[in-house]
CSV table of all heavy atoms in Angstrom, one decimal:
chain,number,residue,atom,x,y,z
D,1845,LEU,N,69.7,-13.1,-30.0
D,1845,LEU,CA,69.7,-13.9,-31.1
D,1845,LEU,C,68.6,-13.5,-32.1
D,1845,LEU,O,67.5,-13.3,-31.7
D,1845,LEU,CB,69.6,-15.4,-30.7
D,1845,LEU,CG,69.6,-16.4,-31.9
D,1845,LEU,CD1,71.0,-16.5,-32.5
D,1845,LEU,CD2,69.3,-17.7,-31.2
D,1846,ASP,N,68.9,-13.5,-33.4
D,1846,ASP,CA,67.9,-13.2,-34.4
D,1846,ASP,C,68.3,-14.0,-35.7
D,1846,ASP,O,69.5,-14.1,-36.0
D,1846,ASP,CB,67.8,-11.7,-34.7
D,1846,ASP,CG,66.5,-11.5,-35.5
D,1846,ASP,OD1,65.4,-11.3,-34.9
D,1846,ASP,OD2,66.6,-11.2,-36.7
D,1847,PRO,N,67.3,-14.4,-36.5
D,1847,PRO,CA,67.6,-15.0,-37.8
D,1847,PRO,C,68.4,-14.3,-38.7
D,1847,PRO,O,69.2,-14.8,-39.5
D,1847,PRO,CB,66.3,-15.4,-38.4
D,1847,PRO,CG,65.4,-15.5,-37.2
D,1847,PRO,CD,65.8,-14.4,-36.3
D,1848,LYS,N,68.4,-12.9,-38.7
D,1848,LYS,CA,68.9,-12.0,-39.7
D,1848,LYS,C,70.1,-11.2,-39.0
D,1848,LYS,O,69.8,-10.8,-37.8
D,1848,LYS,CB,67.9,-11.1,-40.4
D,1848,LYS,CG,66.9,-11.9,-41.2
D,1848,LYS,CD,65.8,-10.9,-41.8
D,1848,LYS,CE,64.8,-11.7,-42.6
D,1848,LYS,NZ,63.8,-10.7,-43.2
D,1849,PRO,N,71.1,-10.7,-39.7
D,1849,PRO,CA,72.1,-9.9,-39.1
D,1849,PRO,C,71.4,-8.6,-38.6
D,1849,PRO,O,70.5,-8.0,-39.2
D,1849,PRO,CB,73.1,-9.6,-40.3
D,1849,PRO,CG,72.9,-10.9,-41.2
D,1849,PRO,CD,71.4,-11.1,-41.1
D,1850,PHE,N,71.9,-8.1,-37.5
D,1850,PHE,CA,71.4,-6.9,-36.8
D,1850,PHE,C,72.5,-6.2,-36.0
D,1850,PHE,O,73.6,-6.7,-35.8
D,1850,PHE,CB,70.2,-7.3,-35.9
D,1850,PHE,CG,70.7,-8.1,-34.7
D,1850,PHE,CD1,71.1,-7.6,-33.5
D,1850,PHE,CD2,70.8,-9.5,-34.8
D,1850,PHE,CE1,71.5,-8.4,-32.5
D,1850,PHE,CE2,71.2,-10.3,-33.8
D,1850,PHE,CZ,71.5,-9.7,-32.5
D,1851,ARG,N,72.1,-4.9,-35.6
D,1851,ARG,CA,73.0,-4.2,-34.7
D,1851,ARG,C,72.1,-4.0,-33.4
D,1851,ARG,O,71.0,-3.6,-33.5
D,1851,ARG,CB,73.4,-2.9,-35.3
D,1851,ARG,CG,74.2,-1.9,-34.4
D,1851,ARG,CD,74.5,-0.7,-35.0
D,1851,ARG,NE,75.5,-1.1,-36.1
D,1851,ARG,CZ,75.7,-0.2,-37.2
D,1851,ARG,NH1,75.1,0.9,-37.4
D,1851,ARG,NH2,76.5,-0.6,-38.2
D,1852,VAL,N,72.8,-4.2,-32.2
D,1852,VAL,CA,72.1,-3.9,-31.1
D,1852,VAL,C,72.6,-2.6,-30.5
D,1852,VAL,O,73.9,-2.4,-30.4
D,1852,VAL,CB,72.4,-5.1,-30.0
D,1852,VAL,CG1,73.8,-5.3,-29.7
D,1852,VAL,CG2,71.7,-4.7,-28.6
D,1853,VAL,N,71.8,-1.7,-30.1
D,1853,VAL,CA,72.1,-0.4,-29.6
D,1853,VAL,C,71.8,-0.4,-28.1
D,1853,VAL,O,70.5,-0.6,-27.8
D,1853,VAL,CB,71.4,0.8,-30.3
D,1853,VAL,CG1,71.8,2.2,-29.7
D,1853,VAL,CG2,71.8,0.7,-31.9
D,1854,TRP,N,72.8,-0.3,-27.2
D,1854,TRP,CA,72.3,-0.6,-25.9
D,1854,TRP,C,73.1,0.4,-24.8
D,1854,TRP,O,74.0,1.0,-25.2
D,1854,TRP,CB,72.7,-2.0,-25.5
D,1854,TRP,CG,74.1,-2.5,-25.8
D,1854,TRP,CD1,74.7,-2.7,-26.9
D,1854,TRP,CD2,75.1,-2.6,-24.7
D,1854,TRP,NE1,76.0,-3.2,-26.8
D,1854,TRP,CE2,76.3,-3.1,-25.5
D,1854,TRP,CE3,75.2,-2.5,-23.4
D,1854,TRP,CZ2,77.5,-3.3,-24.7
D,1854,TRP,CZ3,76.3,-2.8,-22.6
D,1854,TRP,CH2,77.5,-3.2,-23.3
D,1855,THR,N,72.5,0.3,-23.6
D,1855,THR,CA,73.1,1.1,-22.5
D,1855,THR,C,72.9,0.5,-21.3
D,1855,THR,O,72.0,-0.3,-21.0
D,1855,THR,CB,72.4,2.5,-22.5
D,1855,THR,OG1,73.1,3.3,-21.5
D,1855,THR,CG2,70.9,2.4,-22.2
D,1856,MET,N,73.9,0.7,-20.3
D,1856,MET,CA,73.7,0.3,-18.9
D,1856,MET,C,73.5,1.4,-17.9
D,1856,MET,O,73.4,1.3,-16.8
D,1856,MET,CB,74.9,-0.5,-18.5
D,1856,MET,CG,74.9,-1.9,-19.2
D,1856,MET,SD,76.3,-2.9,-18.5
D,1856,MET,CE,76.0,-4.5,-19.3
D,1857,ASP,N,73.4,2.6,-18.5
D,1857,ASP,CA,73.4,3.8,-17.6
D,1857,ASP,C,72.3,4.8,-18.1
D,1857,ASP,O,72.4,6.0,-18.1
D,1857,ASP,CB,74.6,4.6,-17.5
D,1857,ASP,CG,75.2,4.9,-18.9
D,1857,ASP,OD1,74.5,4.9,-19.9
D,1857,ASP,OD2,76.5,5.3,-19.1
D,1858,ASP,N,71.2,4.2,-18.5
D,1858,ASP,CA,69.9,4.9,-18.8
D,1858,ASP,C,70.3,6.0,-20.0
D,1858,ASP,O,69.9,7.1,-20.1
D,1858,ASP,CB,69.3,5.7,-17.7
D,1858,ASP,CG,68.0,6.2,-17.9
D,1858,ASP,OD1,67.3,5.6,-18.8
D,1858,ASP,OD2,67.5,7.1,-17.3
D,1859,TRP,N,71.1,5.5,-20.9
D,1859,TRP,CA,71.4,6.2,-22.1
D,1859,TRP,C,72.4,7.4,-21.9
D,1859,TRP,O,72.5,8.3,-22.8
D,1859,TRP,CB,70.2,6.7,-22.9
D,1859,TRP,CG,69.3,5.6,-23.4
D,1859,TRP,CD1,68.1,5.3,-22.8
D,1859,TRP,CD2,69.6,4.6,-24.3
D,1859,TRP,NE1,67.5,4.2,-23.4
D,1859,TRP,CE2,68.4,3.7,-24.4
D,1859,TRP,CE3,70.6,4.4,-25.2
D,1859,TRP,CZ2,68.2,2.7,-25.2
D,1859,TRP,CZ3,70.5,3.2,-26.0
D,1859,TRP,CH2,69.3,2.3,-26.0
D,1860,ALA,N,73.0,7.4,-20.7
D,1860,ALA,CA,74.1,8.4,-20.6
D,1860,ALA,C,75.2,8.1,-21.6
D,1860,ALA,O,75.8,9.1,-22.0
D,1860,ALA,CB,74.6,8.4,-19.1
D,1861,SER,N,75.4,6.8,-21.8
D,1861,SER,CA,76.3,6.5,-22.9
D,1861,SER,C,75.7,5.3,-23.7
D,1861,SER,O,74.8,4.6,-23.2
D,1861,SER,CB,77.6,5.9,-22.3
D,1861,SER,OG,77.3,4.7,-21.4
D,1862,THR,N,76.0,5.2,-24.9
D,1862,THR,CA,75.4,4.3,-25.8
D,1862,THR,C,76.4,3.5,-26.6
D,1862,THR,O,77.5,4.0,-27.0
D,1862,THR,CB,74.6,5.0,-27.0
D,1862,THR,OG1,73.6,5.8,-26.3
D,1862,THR,CG2,73.9,4.1,-27.8
D,1863,ILE,N,76.2,2.2,-26.6
D,1863,ILE,CA,77.1,1.3,-27.3
D,1863,ILE,C,76.5,0.6,-28.4
D,1863,ILE,O,75.4,0.2,-28.4
D,1863,ILE,CB,77.7,0.2,-26.3
D,1863,ILE,CG1,78.3,0.8,-25.0
D,1863,ILE,CG2,78.7,-0.8,-26.9
D,1863,ILE,CD1,78.5,-0.1,-23.9
D,1864,HIS,N,77.2,0.5,-29.6
D,1864,HIS,CA,76.6,-0.2,-30.7
D,1864,HIS,C,77.5,-1.5,-30.9
D,1864,HIS,O,78.7,-1.4,-31.0
D,1864,HIS,CB,76.8,0.7,-32.0
D,1864,HIS,CG,76.0,2.0,-32.0
D,1864,HIS,ND1,75.4,2.5,-33.2
D,1864,HIS,CD2,75.5,2.7,-31.1
D,1864,HIS,CE1,74.7,3.5,-32.8
D,1864,HIS,NE2,74.8,3.7,-31.5
D,1865,THR,N,76.7,-2.6,-31.1
D,1865,THR,CA,77.4,-3.9,-31.2
D,1865,THR,C,76.8,-4.6,-32.5
D,1865,THR,O,75.5,-4.9,-32.5
D,1865,THR,CB,77.3,-4.8,-30.0
D,1865,THR,OG1,77.9,-4.1,-28.9
D,1865,THR,CG2,78.0,-6.1,-30.2
D,1866,ASP,N,77.6,-4.9,-33.4
D,1866,ASP,CA,77.0,-5.6,-34.6
D,1866,ASP,C,77.0,-7.2,-34.3
D,1866,ASP,O,77.9,-7.7,-33.6
D,1866,ASP,CB,77.9,-5.5,-35.8
D,1866,ASP,CG,77.7,-3.9,-36.4
D,1866,ASP,OD1,76.6,-3.4,-36.1
D,1866,ASP,OD2,78.6,-3.5,-37.1
D,1867,SER,N,75.9,-7.8,-34.8
D,1867,SER,CA,75.8,-9.2,-34.5
D,1867,SER,C,76.8,-10.0,-35.4
D,1867,SER,O,77.5,-9.5,-36.3
D,1867,SER,CB,74.4,-9.7,-34.9
D,1867,SER,OG,74.2,-9.5,-36.2
D,1868,HIS,N,76.9,-11.3,-35.0
D,1868,HIS,CA,78.0,-12.2,-35.6
D,1868,HIS,C,77.1,-13.3,-36.2
D,1868,HIS,O,76.4,-13.9,-35.5
D,1868,HIS,CB,78.9,-12.7,-34.5
D,1868,HIS,CG,80.0,-13.6,-35.1
D,1868,HIS,ND1,81.0,-13.2,-35.9
D,1868,HIS,CD2,80.1,-15.0,-35.1
D,1868,HIS,CE1,81.7,-14.2,-36.4
D,1868,HIS,NE2,81.2,-15.3,-35.8
D,1869,VAL,N,77.4,-13.5,-37.4
D,1869,VAL,CA,76.6,-14.6,-38.3
D,1869,VAL,C,77.2,-16.0,-37.8
D,1869,VAL,O,78.4,-16.2,-37.9
D,1869,VAL,CB,76.6,-14.4,-39.7
D,1869,VAL,CG1,76.0,-15.6,-40.4
D,1869,VAL,CG2,76.0,-13.0,-40.1
D,1870,VAL,N,76.3,-17.0,-37.5
D,1870,VAL,CA,76.7,-18.3,-37.3
D,1870,VAL,C,76.1,-19.3,-38.0
D,1870,VAL,O,75.8,-20.3,-37.5
D,1870,VAL,CB,76.6,-18.6,-35.7
D,1870,VAL,CG1,75.0,-18.6,-35.3
D,1870,VAL,CG2,77.3,-19.7,-35.1
D,1871,GLY,N,75.9,-19.0,-39.3
D,1871,GLY,CA,75.3,-19.9,-40.3
D,1871,GLY,C,73.7,-20.0,-40.2
D,1871,GLY,O,73.2,-18.9,-39.8
D,1872,TYR,N,73.1,-21.1,-40.5
D,1872,TYR,CA,71.6,-21.1,-40.5
D,1872,TYR,C,71.0,-20.6,-39.2
D,1872,TYR,O,69.9,-20.1,-39.3
D,1872,TYR,CB,71.2,-22.5,-40.9
D,1872,TYR,CG,71.3,-22.9,-42.4
D,1872,TYR,CD1,72.4,-23.7,-42.8
D,1872,TYR,CD2,70.6,-22.2,-43.3
D,1872,TYR,CE1,72.5,-24.1,-44.1
D,1872,TYR,CE2,70.8,-22.6,-44.6
D,1872,TYR,CZ,71.7,-23.4,-45.1
D,1872,TYR,OH,71.9,-23.8,-46.4
D,1873,PRO,N,71.5,-21.0,-38.1
D,1873,PRO,CA,70.8,-20.4,-36.9
D,1873,PRO,C,70.7,-19.0,-36.8
D,1873,PRO,O,69.8,-18.5,-36.0
D,1873,PRO,CB,71.7,-21.0,-35.7
D,1873,PRO,CG,72.4,-22.2,-36.3
D,1873,PRO,CD,72.7,-21.8,-37.7
D,1874,GLY,N,71.5,-18.2,-37.6
D,1874,GLY,CA,71.2,-16.8,-37.6
D,1874,GLY,C,72.4,-16.1,-37.1
D,1874,GLY,O,73.6,-16.4,-37.3
D,1875,SER,N,72.2,-14.9,-36.4
D,1875,SER,CA,73.2,-14.0,-35.8
D,1875,SER,C,73.0,-13.7,-34.3
D,1875,SER,O,71.8,-13.8,-33.9
D,1875,SER,CB,73.2,-12.7,-36.6
D,1875,SER,OG,73.4,-12.9,-38.0
D,1876,TYR,N,74.1,-13.4,-33.6
D,1876,TYR,CA,74.0,-13.1,-32.3
D,1876,TYR,C,74.9,-12.0,-31.9
D,1876,TYR,O,75.9,-11.9,-32.5
D,1876,TYR,CB,74.2,-14.4,-31.4
D,1876,TYR,CG,75.6,-14.9,-31.5
D,1876,TYR,CD1,76.5,-14.5,-30.4
D,1876,TYR,CD2,76.0,-15.8,-32.3
D,1876,TYR,CE1,77.8,-14.9,-30.3
D,1876,TYR,CE2,77.4,-16.3,-32.3
D,1876,TYR,CZ,78.2,-15.8,-31.3
D,1876,TYR,OH,79.6,-16.2,-31.2
D,1877,ALA,N,74.5,-11.4,-30.8
D,1877,ALA,CA,75.4,-10.4,-30.2
D,1877,ALA,C,75.4,-10.6,-28.7
D,1877,ALA,O,74.4,-10.8,-28.1
D,1877,ALA,CB,74.9,-8.9,-30.6
D,1878,ASP,N,76.6,-10.5,-28.1
D,1878,ASP,CA,76.8,-10.7,-26.6
D,1878,ASP,C,76.9,-9.4,-25.8
D,1878,ASP,O,77.6,-8.5,-26.3
D,1878,ASP,CB,77.9,-11.7,-26.4
D,1878,ASP,CG,77.6,-13.1,-26.7
D,1878,ASP,OD1,76.5,-13.4,-27.0
D,1878,ASP,OD2,78.6,-13.8,-26.9
D,1879,ILE,N,76.4,-9.4,-24.7
D,1879,ILE,CA,76.5,-8.3,-23.7
D,1879,ILE,C,76.9,-8.9,-22.3
D,1879,ILE,O,76.0,-9.7,-21.8
D,1879,ILE,CB,75.3,-7.4,-23.6
D,1879,ILE,CG1,75.0,-6.8,-25.0
D,1879,ILE,CG2,75.6,-6.3,-22.5
D,1879,ILE,CD1,73.6,-5.9,-24.8
D,1880,ALA,N,78.2,-8.7,-21.9
D,1880,ALA,CA,78.6,-9.4,-20.8
D,1880,ALA,C,78.2,-8.6,-19.5
D,1880,ALA,O,78.0,-7.3,-19.6
D,1880,ALA,CB,80.0,-9.6,-20.8
D,1881,THR,N,78.0,-9.3,-18.4
D,1881,THR,CA,77.7,-8.7,-17.0
D,1881,THR,C,78.8,-9.1,-16.1
D,1881,THR,O,79.4,-10.2,-16.3
D,1881,THR,CB,76.3,-8.9,-16.6
D,1881,THR,OG1,76.2,-10.3,-16.2
D,1881,THR,CG2,75.2,-8.5,-17.7
D,1882,THR,N,78.9,-8.5,-15.0
D,1882,THR,CA,79.8,-8.9,-13.9
D,1882,THR,C,79.0,-9.5,-12.8
D,1882,THR,O,77.8,-9.2,-12.6
D,1882,THR,CB,80.6,-7.7,-13.4
D,1882,THR,OG1,79.7,-6.7,-12.9
D,1882,THR,CG2,81.4,-7.1,-14.6
D,1883,PRO,N,79.8,-10.3,-11.9
D,1883,PRO,CA,79.0,-11.0,-10.9
D,1883,PRO,C,78.2,-10.1,-9.9
D,1883,PRO,O,77.2,-10.4,-9.4
D,1883,PRO,CB,80.0,-11.8,-10.2
D,1883,PRO,CG,81.0,-12.0,-11.2
D,1883,PRO,CD,81.1,-10.8,-12.0
D,1884,ASP,N,78.8,-8.9,-9.7
D,1884,ASP,CA,78.2,-8.0,-8.7
D,1884,ASP,C,77.4,-6.8,-9.3
D,1884,ASP,O,76.9,-5.9,-8.7
D,1884,ASP,CB,79.3,-7.3,-7.9
D,1884,ASP,CG,80.3,-6.5,-8.8
D,1884,ASP,OD1,80.2,-6.7,-9.9
D,1884,ASP,OD2,81.2,-5.9,-8.1
D,1885,GLN,N,77.1,-7.0,-10.6
D,1885,GLN,CA,76.4,-6.0,-11.4
D,1885,GLN,C,74.9,-5.9,-11.0
D,1885,GLN,O,74.3,-7.0,-10.9
D,1885,GLN,CB,76.6,-6.2,-12.9
D,1885,GLN,CG,76.0,-5.1,-13.8
D,1885,GLN,CD,76.3,-5.3,-15.2
D,1885,GLN,OE1,77.3,-5.9,-15.6
D,1885,GLN,NE2,75.4,-4.7,-16.1
D,1886,THR,N,74.3,-4.8,-10.9
D,1886,THR,CA,72.8,-4.6,-10.8
D,1886,THR,C,72.4,-3.5,-11.7
D,1886,THR,O,73.2,-2.9,-12.5
D,1886,THR,CB,72.5,-4.2,-9.3
D,1886,THR,OG1,73.2,-2.9,-9.0
D,1886,THR,CG2,73.0,-5.2,-8.3
D,1887,GLY,N,71.1,-3.3,-11.8
D,1887,GLY,CA,70.6,-2.3,-12.7
D,1887,GLY,C,70.0,-3.0,-13.9
D,1887,GLY,O,69.5,-4.2,-13.9
D,1888,SER,N,70.0,-2.2,-15.0
D,1888,SER,CA,69.2,-2.7,-16.2
D,1888,SER,C,70.2,-2.6,-17.4
D,1888,SER,O,71.0,-1.6,-17.5
D,1888,SER,CB,68.0,-1.9,-16.5
D,1888,SER,OG,67.1,-2.0,-15.4
D,1889,ILE,N,70.0,-3.5,-18.4
D,1889,ILE,CA,70.5,-3.4,-19.7
D,1889,ILE,C,69.3,-3.0,-20.6
D,1889,ILE,O,68.2,-3.6,-20.6
D,1889,ILE,CB,71.1,-4.7,-20.2
D,1889,ILE,CG1,72.2,-5.2,-19.3
D,1889,ILE,CG2,71.4,-4.6,-21.6
D,1889,ILE,CD1,72.7,-6.5,-19.7
D,1890,VAL,N,69.4,-1.9,-21.2
D,1890,VAL,CA,68.3,-1.4,-22.1
D,1890,VAL,C,68.8,-1.4,-23.5
D,1890,VAL,O,69.9,-0.8,-23.8
D,1890,VAL,CB,67.8,0.0,-21.7
D,1890,VAL,CG1,66.7,0.5,-22.6
D,1890,VAL,CG2,67.4,0.0,-20.2
D,1891,PHE,N,68.0,-2.0,-24.4
D,1891,PHE,CA,68.6,-2.1,-25.8
D,1891,PHE,C,67.5,-2.0,-26.8
D,1891,PHE,O,66.2,-2.2,-26.5
D,1891,PHE,CB,69.4,-3.3,-26.0
D,1891,PHE,CG,68.6,-4.6,-25.9
D,1891,PHE,CD1,68.1,-5.2,-27.0
D,1891,PHE,CD2,68.6,-5.3,-24.7
D,1891,PHE,CE1,67.4,-6.3,-26.9
D,1891,PHE,CE2,67.9,-6.5,-24.6
D,1891,PHE,CZ,67.3,-7.0,-25.7
D,1892,THR,N,67.8,-1.7,-28.0
D,1892,THR,CA,66.9,-1.9,-29.2
D,1892,THR,C,67.8,-2.4,-30.3
D,1892,THR,O,69.0,-2.6,-30.2
D,1892,THR,CB,66.2,-0.6,-29.6
D,1892,THR,OG1,65.3,-0.8,-30.6
D,1892,THR,CG2,67.3,0.4,-30.2
D,1893,LEU,N,67.1,-2.9,-31.4
D,1893,LEU,CA,67.6,-3.6,-32.5
D,1893,LEU,C,67.4,-2.9,-33.8
D,1893,LEU,O,66.3,-2.2,-34.0
D,1893,LEU,CB,67.1,-5.0,-32.6
D,1893,LEU,CG,67.3,-5.9,-31.4
D,1893,LEU,CD1,66.7,-7.3,-31.7
D,1893,LEU,CD2,68.8,-6.1,-30.9
D,1894,TYR,N,68.5,-2.9,-34.7
D,1894,TYR,CA,68.4,-2.3,-36.0
D,1894,TYR,C,68.9,-3.3,-37.0
D,1894,TYR,O,70.0,-3.8,-36.8
D,1894,TYR,CB,69.2,-1.0,-36.0
D,1894,TYR,CG,69.4,-0.4,-37.3
D,1894,TYR,CD1,68.3,0.1,-38.0
D,1894,TYR,CD2,70.6,-0.3,-38.0
D,1894,TYR,CE1,68.4,0.7,-39.2
D,1894,TYR,CE2,70.8,0.1,-39.3
D,1894,TYR,CZ,69.6,0.8,-39.9
D,1894,TYR,OH,69.7,1.3,-41.2
D,1895,TRP,N,68.1,-3.6,-38.0
D,1895,TRP,CA,68.5,-4.4,-39.1
D,1895,TRP,C,69.0,-3.6,-40.3
D,1895,TRP,O,68.2,-2.9,-40.9
D,1895,TRP,CB,67.3,-5.3,-39.5
D,1895,TRP,CG,67.0,-6.4,-38.4
D,1895,TRP,CD1,67.4,-7.6,-38.3
D,1895,TRP,CD2,66.1,-6.2,-37.3
D,1895,TRP,NE1,67.0,-8.3,-37.3
D,1895,TRP,CE2,66.1,-7.4,-36.6
D,1895,TRP,CE3,65.3,-5.2,-36.8
D,1895,TRP,CZ2,65.3,-7.6,-35.4
D,1895,TRP,CZ3,64.5,-5.3,-35.8
D,1895,TRP,CH2,64.5,-6.5,-35.0
D,1896,GLN,N,70.3,-3.6,-40.5
D,1896,GLN,CA,70.8,-2.7,-41.5
D,1896,GLN,C,70.4,-3.0,-42.9
D,1896,GLN,O,70.1,-2.1,-43.7
D,1896,GLN,CB,72.4,-2.9,-41.5
D,1896,GLN,CG,73.0,-2.5,-40.1
D,1896,GLN,CD,73.4,-3.8,-39.3
D,1896,GLN,OE1,72.4,-4.6,-39.2
D,1896,GLN,NE2,74.5,-3.8,-38.7
D,1897,ALA,N,70.2,-4.3,-43.3
D,1897,ALA,CA,69.9,-4.7,-44.6
D,1897,ALA,C,68.5,-4.2,-45.0
D,1897,ALA,O,68.2,-3.9,-46.2
D,1897,ALA,CB,70.0,-6.2,-44.8
D,1898,GLU,N,67.6,-4.1,-44.0
D,1898,GLU,CA,66.2,-3.6,-44.2
D,1898,GLU,C,66.0,-2.2,-43.8
D,1898,GLU,O,64.9,-1.7,-43.9
D,1898,GLU,CB,65.3,-4.5,-43.5
D,1898,GLU,CG,65.5,-6.1,-43.8
D,1898,GLU,CD,64.6,-6.9,-42.9
D,1898,GLU,OE1,63.7,-6.4,-42.2
D,1898,GLU,OE2,65.0,-8.2,-42.7
Side-chain angles (χ1 to χ4, degrees):
L1845 180 63
D1846 194 80
K1848 299 178 180 180
F1850 63 92
R1851 175 176 295 159
V1852 56
V1853 182
W1854 58 284
T1855 182
M1856 287 188 179
D1857 53 13
D1858 196 23
W1859 301 110
S1861 60
T1862 301
I1863 303 172
H1864 292 213
T1865 303
D1866 287 336
S1867 65
H1868 181 74
V1869 177
V1870 69
Y1872 284 109
S1875 300
Y1876 71 90
D1878 287 347
I1879 301 175
T1881 68
T1882 60
D1884 57 352
Q1885 184 174 335
T1886 59
S1888 299
I1889 301 173
V1890 182
F1891 67 89
T1892 190
L1893 303 179
Y1894 173 66
W1895 289 268
Q1896 302 97 314
E1898 304 171 19

